[in-house]
Amino acid sequence: MAEQDGAEIATLIREINAGLNQRIRETFKDKPITPPQMMIIFMLAEEKRLKVSEISKKMSLANSTVSGILDRLEKQDYIKRVRSESDKRVVYVEATDQMKVIFDQHHQAMTEFLAYLVRDVTAKEFKTILDGLDILRNLVQTNGAKEKG
Amino acid sequence: MAEQDGAEIATLIREINAGLNQRIRETFKDKPITPPQMMIIFMLAEEKRLKVSEISKKMSLANSTVSGILDRLEKQDYIKRVRSESDKRVVYVEATDQMKVIFDQHHQAMTEFLAYLVRDVTAKEFKTILDGLDILRNLVQTNGAKEKG
DNA sequence: TACGAATGTTTCGTATGCGAATTATTATAA
DNA sequence: TTATAATAATTCGCATACGAAACATTCGTA
């Protein structure tokens, strides 16, 4: 494959990512919650308690970025930070009762959005998407330069 | 398709986009140029003259975002803004001689990076990727909710 | 022609998003 | 045991990134 192909793929990914974020913003445009904040809220609805670094990893974000998002979620009283007793370097993030209310309010909208997104996708198309994304993920992984001779 | 599939796809896209940006940053980490700045420089190497809105569209960014990036490129004397004579609302962006120097310096690195990215991808895999991305692009397009009866 | 709508860009405020440096704590080794 | 390295999170400075509002200009129409 030549570099034009790389450029084409890169542009497409950028376009799709922008489009997806746009759709999420539209879906929640009257809600006082941003996409990454939403993502953390949904993660905490499943896990109850997460380290800051676990959130960073799951979201493919730097720790410093997540720290800032948590600041704003904490200011809105949606999450709280709890120092780990066993390892005081670790900070656990937990949901507040306030957050549970927000989650219930938005759960429906998010579920509908996600279902709507793929409403017309056939099983075959879905497999094509996942296969393509899987190849791509391996390509861009930081250790993508595998020197296996 | 169910909403879990939508969530899986959304997470994958986010991950791939982050990985791609990461790789680009690594490739140019010693250069005083950021990824979106690089993209504009490469666009201007092909087109000579572009409207602000054309750049926004090609990059899937808001006009206001591009305007800020152009401010910084202009401050570094890489581009200049030229008011259109025929329509004074329009601003054309053009490359400076300084920018041409930068382009020549980085062209090689970018070309190699893009070629390297897809170096082990077979033609079949490439088709799978493009097919998947094409379906996705249609899904997330703002007018994705086509009400065609 | 005049005037309100539409268009293209910029400005403003705020939220990501990153890397480097910092702080606090824990693990390792001499 | 104590200096050193490693780890987890935060802080800092800066560059995206967005939408809303402002601004200038052009278009459409009465």
Side-chain angles (χ1 to χ4, degrees):
Chain A
M1 297 293 103
E3 71 272 11
Q4 289 86 346
D5 301 326
E8 182 179 3
I9 289 174
T11 302
L12 269 172
I13 292 170
R14 195 183 176 81
E15 187 179 343
I16 291 166
N17 189 61
L20 182 63
N21 283 329
Q22 188 62 27
R23 295 290 299 277
I24 293 177
R25 270 192 303 272
E26 281 166 13
T27 304
F28 296 100
K29 71 168 178 295
D30 52 335
K31 312 281 170 55
I33 286 289
T34 66
Q37 289 176 11
M38 186 73 66
M39 226 173 139
I40 292 176
I41 287 177
F42 274 72
M43 283 167 52
L44 285 175
E46 281 201 344
E47 295 265 355
K48 289 320 176 199
R49 212 175 71 149
L50 286 166
K51 297 180 188 177
V52 173
S53 51
E54 287 173 339
I55 295 174
S56 306
K57 192 165 193 177
K58 278 174 192 280
M59 295 181 71
S60 303
L61 292 176
N63 278 345
S64 53
T65 300
V66 172
S67 192
I69 297 171
L70 292 177
D71 285 347
R72 288 177 286 273
L73 281 172
E74 199 171 24
K75 200 184 303 178
Q76 294 178 278
D77 194 33
Y78 290 155
I79 60 108
K80 61 189 170 210
R81 284 168 157 108
V82 181
R83 280 273 165 201
S84 165
E85 282 300 320
S86 56
D87 184 342
K88 284 180 193 148
R89 293 170 301 184
V90 171
V91 169
Y92 283 107
V93 180
E94 297 179 6
T96 62
D97 293 341
Q98 186 67 20
M99 189 279 256
K100 287 162 191 142
V101 174
I102 288 291
F103 174 77
D104 288 340
Q105 286 173 359
H106 297 357
H107 179 70
Q108 181 79 1
M110 176 60 95
T111 298
E112 279 171 7
F113 164 73
L114 290 173
Y116 182 75
L117 187 68
V118 294
R119 74 200 179 288
D120 287 334
V121 178
T122 66
K124 188 178 177 210
E125 285 175 329
F126 185 66
K127 178 167 166 39
T128 300
I129 291 173
L130 284 191
D131 287 347
L133 291 181
D134 195 56
I135 298 169
L136 273 176
R137 184 178 45 184
N138 289 328
L139 287 188
V140 303
Q141 254 160 16
T142 344
N143 61 345
K146 23 180 175 174
E147 312 297 346
K148 52 138 187 169
Chain B
M1 295 293 102
E3 72 273 12
Q4 289 86 348
D5 300 326
E8 182 179 3
I9 289 174
T11 302
L12 269 172
I13 292 170
R14 195 183 176 82
E15 188 179 342
I16 290 167
N17 188 61
L20 182 63
N21 284 328
Q22 187 64 27
R23 295 290 300 278
I24 294 176
R25 270 194 302 273
E26 282 166 11
T27 303
F28 296 100
K29 71 167 178 295
D30 53 336
K31 312 281 168 57
I33 287 289
T34 66
Q37 289 175 11
M38 186 75 65
M39 226 172 141
I40 291 177
I41 287 177
F42 275 71
M43 283 167 52
L44 284 176
E46 282 200 345
E47 296 265 353
K48 292 318 177 202
R49 212 175 71 149
L50 285 167
K51 296 179 190 176
V52 172
S53 51
E54 287 173 338
I55 295 175
S56 305
K57 191 164 192 179
K58 279 175 190 279
M59 295 180 70
S60 304
L61 292 176
N63 280 343
S64 53
T65 301
V66 172
S67 191
I69 297 171
L70 292 177
D71 285 347
R72 287 176 287 274
L73 281 172
E74 199 170 25
K75 200 182 304 177
Q76 295 178 280
D77 194 33
Y78 289 154
I79 60 109
K80 60 187 170 212
R81 285 170 157 108
V82 181
R83 278 275 163 200
S84 165
E85 283 301 319
S86 56
D87 184 344
K88 286 181 190 146
R89 292 171 301 184
V90 171
V91 170
Y92 283 108
V93 181
E94 296 179 7
T96 63
D97 294 340
Q98 185 67 20
M99 188 279 254
K100 286 160 193 145
V101 175
I102 288 290
F103 174 76
D104 288 340
Q105 286 173 358
H106 297 358
H107 179 69
Q108 182 78 1
M110 177 59 96
T111 298
E112 279 170 7
F113 164 73
L114 290 173
Y116 182 75
L117 186 68
V118 293
R119 75 201 178 286
D120 287 334
V121 178
T122 66
K124 189 181 176 205
E125 285 175 328
F126 186 66
K127 179 167 166 39
T128 300
I129 291 173
L130 284 191
D131 287 348
L133 291 182
D134 195 57
I135 297 169
L136 273 176
R137 185 179 42 184
N138 289 327
L139 285 189
V140 302
Q141 254 161 15
T142 345
N143 60 344
K146 25 179 175 176
E147 312 297 347
K148 53 140 186 166

